[in-house]
Amino acid sequence: MTSKTSTVSNKPSKDRASLWGGVVFLLFVIAALVFGAIKANGYMQDEQQMPVQVIDFSGDYQHVNITRLERLIRKSQPGSFFALDVNEVFELVEAQPWVYRASVRKKWPNTLKIYLVEQQPVAKWNEDLLLNPYGDTFNADGHDLALPRLYGPGGSEKTALEGYNSMHALLATTAMNIEELSLSERFAWQVQLENGIELNLGRKEFIDRLQRFIDVYPLLAQQEKTVKYIDLRYDTGVAVGWENSNSDTTNKES
């Protein structure tokens, strides 16, 4: 009688061992990658490893305090060259009162390059702000600047500046300059010249009325009395107020 011996296969146990071995290896690889990423991030964040050594400012500027601005940038971006956020630096720089426009970029291996376009003040606005050539206001210290003073309701900055520019161009033919210009709520124009004369130009045709003043002023300047103000809101004439006098003289012209 022939006996048969049955053999029990151990293949399933080998498969399980191989599977667990693969899982352990995969977990090891993941852990190594995470550890490497943490170390790399720490290296990039560490200012001592790759510091921003140079902040290079360029452009045409007079009022921007570069020392203060560089200090602000380094305080807001304490990390390394890799960790520095160019967009955040850009927003910080353009938020400065005297900065009109800026561009910011990194230059390998340790330089931050910043190009500045400075605000160009052309007038003071309502005592506490400055106006640039585009009629935009900005809040900067301009107390020591010899600029004309413009006043008007909120939102009239561009209108006031356009009016000032037109009047200034017309007065360029004379020796008189505008010291102060006011635009009322009803958009009536009043001007004070550097020689102290006040002009009331009203709401309409203020350029034509200013030209009328230029035409008539040589005759008024010949008088012994000093002109204090001139009201030009008449169609064909002017009303003149004199210094140290309570009376007005109306000059009707044809």
Side-chain angles (χ1 to χ4, degrees):
M1 182 176 180
T2 304
S3 62
K4 296 183 179 179
T5 303
S6 62
T7 303
V8 178
S9 175
N10 61 355
K11 184 176 179 181
S13 61
K14 289 183 178 180
D15 289 344
R16 282 194 297 272
S18 177
L19 175 63
W20 280 109
V23 170
V24 171
F25 177 76
L26 178 61
L27 292 175
F28 176 79
V29 171
I30 293 174
L33 290 174
V34 171
F35 179 77
I38 293 174
K39 294 293 289 185
N41 183 67
Y43 179 87
M44 289 189 295
Q45 295 291 339
D46 187 359
E47 183 181 6
Q48 302 303 318
Q49 300 295 335
M50 185 67 76
V52 178
Q53 295 181 343
V54 179
I55 299 182
D56 181 20
F57 293 94
S58 60
D60 186 11
Y61 49 84
Q62 298 178 348
H63 302 284
V64 178
N65 189 329
I66 295 300
T67 302
R68 176 180 176 275
L69 182 54
E70 180 172 347
R71 188 163 57 246
L72 288 174
I73 292 171
R74 292 192 181 279
K75 183 178 180 180
S76 68
Q77 300 290 322
S80 69
F81 178 84
F82 296 104
L84 185 142
D85 191 320
V86 171
N87 292 327
E88 289 185 3
V89 175
F90 171 78
E91 292 176 359
L92 173 64
V93 172
E94 284 217 336
Q96 303 308 303
W98 279 106
V99 176
Y100 178 64
R101 289 286 184 270
S103 64
V104 181
R105 64 183 178 89
K106 295 180 182 179
K107 183 179 180 181
W108 178 263
N110 58 11
T111 301
L112 182 66
K113 298 185 74 66
I114 300 176
Y115 182 81
L116 299 175
V117 178
E118 190 175 63
Q119 291 277 15
Q120 298 297 316
V122 296
K124 297 179 180 180
W125 178 251
N126 287 343
E127 296 294 351
D128 55 351
L129 297 173
L130 297 175
L131 282 177
N132 66 19
Y134 312 105
D136 300 322
T137 59
F138 61 101
N139 189 5
D141 182 11
H143 71 276
D144 59 340
L145 300 177
L147 297 171
R149 301 187 300 272
L150 275 58
Y151 300 88
S156 65
E157 295 89 348
K158 289 181 172 59
T159 300
L161 183 60
E162 290 172 359
Y164 168 81
N165 288 335
S166 299
M167 296 182 202
H168 179 73
L170 188 58
L171 287 169
T173 59
T174 71
M176 295 176 286
N177 292 309
I178 297 174
E179 182 175 277
E180 184 177 301
L181 179 148
S182 298
L183 190 60
S184 73
E185 294 285 347
R186 299 180 68 249
F187 284 78
W189 300 87
Q190 289 186 324
V191 173
Q192 180 175 322
L193 303 176
E194 289 182 350
N195 60 12
I197 298 177
E198 299 176 8
L199 306 178
N200 191 341
L201 301 173
R203 297 175 57 191
K204 301 177 180 178
E205 301 176 348
F206 61 92
I207 292 297
D208 292 339
R209 291 173 177 176
L210 183 61
Q211 181 62 60
R212 191 191 311 159
F213 160 73
I214 294 174
D215 294 338
V216 76
Y217 181 70
L219 298 176
L220 300 176
Q222 295 175 7
Q223 305 297 317
E224 295 181 358
K225 294 178 291 185
T226 302
V227 177
K228 181 179 180 181
Y229 73 87
I230 301 178
D231 190 340
L232 295 128
R233 292 175 296 174
Y234 300 91
D235 291 335
T236 59
V238 300
V240 181
W242 306 94
E243 287 284 359
N244 302 320
S245 175
N246 294 324
S247 61
D248 294 345
T249 299
T250 302
N251 176 26
K252 294 293 185 179
E253 296 176 333
S254 59

